[in-house]
Amino acid sequence: MGLDISTGVYKARKRCGYTQAEFGKELRVNGNTISSWERGKTQPSMEKIIRISEISGMSINEILEYSSYHNTD
């Protein structure tokens, strides 16, 4: 099984106070892409993970660790 960062993406977006569409605009993707990341259907590229970190103020480690240890399902 691959890396799951769905929860980390969700928490980063919520930390910013963005809707999926707003977060997508910041990342230059559409809101459906953000939804797909948050549901674990697809995963962002490393470039997008870095940008998520920059936008949210969370470290990449925080995003990944949160996803690994605090699954919301």
PDB file of all heavy atoms in Angstrom, residues 29-47:
ATOM      1  N   VAL A  29      -4.978  23.718  -9.111  1.00  0.00           N
ATOM      2  CA  VAL A  29      -5.744  22.527  -9.493  1.00  0.00           C
ATOM      3  C   VAL A  29      -7.207  22.840  -9.203  1.00  0.00           C
ATOM      4  O   VAL A  29      -7.517  23.836  -8.542  1.00  0.00           O
ATOM      5  CB  VAL A  29      -5.292  21.252  -8.715  1.00  0.00           C
ATOM      6  CG1 VAL A  29      -3.840  20.922  -9.002  1.00  0.00           C
ATOM      7  CG2 VAL A  29      -5.532  21.402  -7.227  1.00  0.00           C
ATOM      8  N   ASN A  30      -8.122  22.005  -9.672  1.00  0.00           N
ATOM      9  CA  ASN A  30      -9.526  22.293  -9.386  1.00  0.00           C
ATOM     10  C   ASN A  30      -9.960  21.660  -8.062  1.00  0.00           C
ATOM     11  O   ASN A  30      -9.261  20.822  -7.490  1.00  0.00           O
ATOM     12  CB  ASN A  30     -10.436  21.902 -10.561  1.00  0.00           C
ATOM     13  CG  ASN A  30     -10.465  20.421 -10.806  1.00  0.00           C
ATOM     14  OD1 ASN A  30     -10.542  19.613  -9.877  1.00  0.00           O
ATOM     15  ND2 ASN A  30     -10.430  20.035 -12.067  1.00  0.00           N
ATOM     16  N   GLY A  31     -11.111  22.081  -7.584  1.00  0.00           N
ATOM     17  CA  GLY A  31     -11.634  21.589  -6.318  1.00  0.00           C
ATOM     18  C   GLY A  31     -11.859  20.095  -6.301  1.00  0.00           C
ATOM     19  O   GLY A  31     -11.727  19.446  -5.258  1.00  0.00           O
ATOM     20  N   ASN A  32     -12.193  19.516  -7.447  1.00  0.00           N
ATOM     21  CA  ASN A  32     -12.379  18.066  -7.522  1.00  0.00           C
ATOM     22  C   ASN A  32     -11.078  17.319  -7.241  1.00  0.00           C
ATOM     23  O   ASN A  32     -11.099  16.229  -6.668  1.00  0.00           O
ATOM     24  CB  ASN A  32     -12.928  17.653  -8.889  1.00  0.00           C
ATOM     25  CG  ASN A  32     -14.346  18.121  -9.098  1.00  0.00           C
ATOM     26  OD1 ASN A  32     -15.104  18.291  -8.152  1.00  0.00           O
ATOM     27  ND2 ASN A  32     -14.706  18.343 -10.348  1.00  0.00           N
ATOM     28  N   THR A  33      -9.971  17.906  -7.638  1.00  0.00           N
ATOM     29  CA  THR A  33      -8.673  17.299  -7.368  1.00  0.00           C
ATOM     30  C   THR A  33      -8.401  17.292  -5.865  1.00  0.00           C
ATOM     31  O   THR A  33      -7.949  16.288  -5.310  1.00  0.00           O
ATOM     32  CB  THR A  33      -7.551  18.044  -8.113  1.00  0.00           C
ATOM     33  OG1 THR A  33      -7.808  17.968  -9.519  1.00  0.00           O
ATOM     34  CG2 THR A  33      -6.189  17.457  -7.810  1.00  0.00           C
ATOM     35  N   ILE A  34      -8.708  18.393  -5.189  1.00  0.00           N
ATOM     36  CA  ILE A  34      -8.532  18.461  -3.737  1.00  0.00           C
ATOM     37  C   ILE A  34      -9.410  17.408  -3.070  1.00  0.00           C
ATOM     38  O   ILE A  34      -8.967  16.684  -2.169  1.00  0.00           O
ATOM     39  CB  ILE A  34      -8.867  19.865  -3.197  1.00  0.00           C
ATOM     40  CG1 ILE A  34      -7.995  20.947  -3.845  1.00  0.00           C
ATOM     41  CG2 ILE A  34      -8.759  19.898  -1.671  1.00  0.00           C
ATOM     42  CD1 ILE A  34      -6.515  20.805  -3.606  1.00  0.00           C
ATOM     43  N   SER A  35     -10.640  17.293  -3.515  1.00  0.00           N
ATOM     44  CA  SER A  35     -11.555  16.282  -2.973  1.00  0.00           C
ATOM     45  C   SER A  35     -10.980  14.880  -3.143  1.00  0.00           C
ATOM     46  O   SER A  35     -11.021  14.060  -2.215  1.00  0.00           O
ATOM     47  CB  SER A  35     -12.915  16.383  -3.673  1.00  0.00           C
ATOM     48  OG  SER A  35     -13.767  15.349  -3.248  1.00  0.00           O
ATOM     49  N   SER A  36     -10.445  14.618  -4.298  1.00  0.00           N
ATOM     50  CA  SER A  36      -9.849  13.311  -4.588  1.00  0.00           C
ATOM     51  C   SER A  36      -8.659  13.031  -3.669  1.00  0.00           C
ATOM     52  O   SER A  36      -8.495  11.917  -3.167  1.00  0.00           O
ATOM     53  CB  SER A  36      -9.428  13.257  -6.057  1.00  0.00           C
ATOM     54  OG  SER A  36      -8.877  12.020  -6.375  1.00  0.00           O
ATOM     55  N   TRP A  37      -7.838  14.040  -3.421  1.00  0.00           N
ATOM     56  CA  TRP A  37      -6.701  13.882  -2.502  1.00  0.00           C
ATOM     57  C   TRP A  37      -7.197  13.594  -1.093  1.00  0.00           C
ATOM     58  O   TRP A  37      -6.674  12.723  -0.415  1.00  0.00           O
ATOM     59  CB  TRP A  37      -5.848  15.143  -2.474  1.00  0.00           C
ATOM     60  CG  TRP A  37      -5.100  15.450  -3.733  1.00  0.00           C
ATOM     61  CD1 TRP A  37      -4.901  14.638  -4.820  1.00  0.00           C
ATOM     62  CD2 TRP A  37      -4.452  16.679  -4.040  1.00  0.00           C
ATOM     63  NE1 TRP A  37      -4.167  15.285  -5.770  1.00  0.00           N
ATOM     64  CE2 TRP A  37      -3.875  16.550  -5.322  1.00  0.00           C
ATOM     65  CE3 TRP A  37      -4.309  17.878  -3.365  1.00  0.00           C
ATOM     66  CZ2 TRP A  37      -3.159  17.574  -5.934  1.00  0.00           C
ATOM     67  CZ3 TRP A  37      -3.598  18.902  -3.969  1.00  0.00           C
ATOM     68  CH2 TRP A  37      -3.021  18.747  -5.237  1.00  0.00           C
ATOM     69  N   GLU A  38      -8.199  14.341  -0.661  1.00  0.00           N
ATOM     70  CA  GLU A  38      -8.704  14.206   0.708  1.00  0.00           C
ATOM     71  C   GLU A  38      -9.409  12.865   0.940  1.00  0.00           C
ATOM     72  O   GLU A  38      -9.461  12.383   2.064  1.00  0.00           O
ATOM     73  CB  GLU A  38      -9.632  15.363   1.060  1.00  0.00           C
ATOM     74  CG  GLU A  38      -8.884  16.672   1.197  1.00  0.00           C
ATOM     75  CD  GLU A  38      -9.759  17.841   1.576  1.00  0.00           C
ATOM     76  OE1 GLU A  38     -10.993  17.665   1.766  1.00  0.00           O
ATOM     77  OE2 GLU A  38      -9.222  18.960   1.686  1.00  0.00           O
ATOM     78  N   ARG A  39      -9.960  12.296  -0.103  1.00  0.00           N
ATOM     79  CA  ARG A  39     -10.620  10.988   0.017  1.00  0.00           C
ATOM     80  C   ARG A  39      -9.643   9.835  -0.209  1.00  0.00           C
ATOM     81  O   ARG A  39     -10.012   8.678  -0.064  1.00  0.00           O
ATOM     82  CB  ARG A  39     -11.773  10.887  -0.990  1.00  0.00           C
ATOM     83  CG  ARG A  39     -12.960  11.769  -0.610  1.00  0.00           C
ATOM     84  CD  ARG A  39     -14.123  11.659  -1.587  1.00  0.00           C
ATOM     85  NE  ARG A  39     -13.749  12.247  -2.869  1.00  0.00           N
ATOM     86  CZ  ARG A  39     -13.759  11.600  -4.034  1.00  0.00           C
ATOM     87  NH1 ARG A  39     -14.147  10.350  -4.117  1.00  0.00           N
ATOM     88  NH2 ARG A  39     -13.396  12.209  -5.139  1.00  0.00           N
ATOM     89  N   GLY A  40      -8.401  10.160  -0.539  1.00  0.00           N
ATOM     90  CA  GLY A  40      -7.393   9.135  -0.738  1.00  0.00           C
ATOM     91  C   GLY A  40      -7.503   8.418  -2.075  1.00  0.00           C
ATOM     92  O   GLY A  40      -6.898   7.372  -2.278  1.00  0.00           O
ATOM     93  N   LYS A  41      -8.255   9.011  -2.994  1.00  0.00           N
ATOM     94  CA  LYS A  41      -8.397   8.403  -4.323  1.00  0.00           C
ATOM     95  C   LYS A  41      -7.155   8.617  -5.175  1.00  0.00           C
ATOM     96  O   LYS A  41      -6.785   7.759  -5.969  1.00  0.00           O
ATOM     97  CB  LYS A  41      -9.621   8.983  -5.046  1.00  0.00           C
ATOM     98  CG  LYS A  41     -10.933   8.736  -4.338  1.00  0.00           C
ATOM     99  CD  LYS A  41     -11.291   7.281  -4.352  1.00  0.00           C
ATOM    100  CE  LYS A  41     -12.633   7.050  -3.688  1.00  0.00           C
ATOM    101  NZ  LYS A  41     -12.971   5.653  -3.591  1.00  0.00           N
ATOM    102  N   THR A  42      -6.559   9.783  -5.037  1.00  0.00           N
ATOM    103  CA  THR A  42      -5.305  10.108  -5.718  1.00  0.00           C
ATOM    104  C   THR A  42      -4.423  10.845  -4.722  1.00  0.00           C
ATOM    105  O   THR A  42      -4.872  11.200  -3.627  1.00  0.00           O
ATOM    106  CB  THR A  42      -5.526  11.000  -6.957  1.00  0.00           C
ATOM    107  OG1 THR A  42      -6.131  12.233  -6.542  1.00  0.00           O
ATOM    108  CG2 THR A  42      -6.398  10.317  -8.003  1.00  0.00           C
ATOM    109  N   GLN A  43      -3.175  11.079  -5.098  1.00  0.00           N
ATOM    110  CA  GLN A  43      -2.248  11.777  -4.217  1.00  0.00           C
ATOM    111  C   GLN A  43      -1.565  12.907  -4.967  1.00  0.00           C
ATOM    112  O   GLN A  43      -1.291  12.792  -6.163  1.00  0.00           O
ATOM    113  CB  GLN A  43      -1.203  10.805  -3.676  1.00  0.00           C
ATOM    114  CG  GLN A  43      -1.817   9.762  -2.781  1.00  0.00           C
ATOM    115  CD  GLN A  43      -0.782   8.814  -2.211  1.00  0.00           C
ATOM    116  OE1 GLN A  43       0.412   8.927  -2.483  1.00  0.00           O
ATOM    117  NE2 GLN A  43      -1.239   7.870  -1.429  1.00  0.00           N
ATOM    118  N   PRO A  44      -1.283  13.979  -4.245  1.00  0.00           N
ATOM    119  CA  PRO A  44      -0.590  15.098  -4.896  1.00  0.00           C
ATOM    120  C   PRO A  44       0.857  14.743  -5.199  1.00  0.00           C
ATOM    121  O   PRO A  44       1.462  13.891  -4.546  1.00  0.00           O
ATOM    122  CB  PRO A  44      -0.669  16.208  -3.845  1.00  0.00           C
ATOM    123  CG  PRO A  44      -0.844  15.512  -2.541  1.00  0.00           C
ATOM    124  CD  PRO A  44      -1.603  14.251  -2.845  1.00  0.00           C
ATOM    125  N   SER A  45       1.394  15.431  -6.171  1.00  0.00           N
ATOM    126  CA  SER A  45       2.821  15.285  -6.489  1.00  0.00           C
ATOM    127  C   SER A  45       3.645  15.894  -5.357  1.00  0.00           C
ATOM    128  O   SER A  45       3.135  16.656  -4.526  1.00  0.00           O
ATOM    129  CB  SER A  45       3.142  16.024  -7.788  1.00  0.00           C
ATOM    130  OG  SER A  45       2.979  17.426  -7.594  1.00  0.00           O
ATOM    131  N   MET A  46       4.910  15.579  -5.337  1.00  0.00           N
ATOM    132  CA  MET A  46       5.789  16.157  -4.313  1.00  0.00           C
ATOM    133  C   MET A  46       5.804  17.675  -4.423  1.00  0.00           C
ATOM    134  O   MET A  46       5.830  18.374  -3.410  1.00  0.00           O
ATOM    135  CB  MET A  46       7.203  15.571  -4.448  1.00  0.00           C
ATOM    136  CG  MET A  46       8.058  15.896  -3.280  1.00  0.00           C
ATOM    137  SD  MET A  46       7.275  15.212  -1.793  1.00  0.00           S
ATOM    138  CE  MET A  46       8.391  15.743  -0.560  1.00  0.00           C
ATOM    139  N   GLU A  47       5.759  18.192  -5.634  1.00  0.00           N
ATOM    140  CA  GLU A  47       5.701  19.642  -5.830  1.00  0.00           C
ATOM    141  C   GLU A  47       4.479  20.235  -5.131  1.00  0.00           C
ATOM    142  O   GLU A  47       4.576  21.273  -4.474  1.00  0.00           O
ATOM    143  CB  GLU A  47       5.653  19.951  -7.330  1.00  0.00           C
ATOM    144  CG  GLU A  47       5.496  21.415  -7.656  1.00  0.00           C
ATOM    145  CD  GLU A  47       5.336  21.661  -9.152  1.00  0.00           C
ATOM    146  OE1 GLU A  47       5.899  20.904  -9.961  1.00  0.00           O
ATOM    147  OE2 GLU A  47       4.623  22.610  -9.502  1.00  0.00           O
TER     148      GLU A  47
END
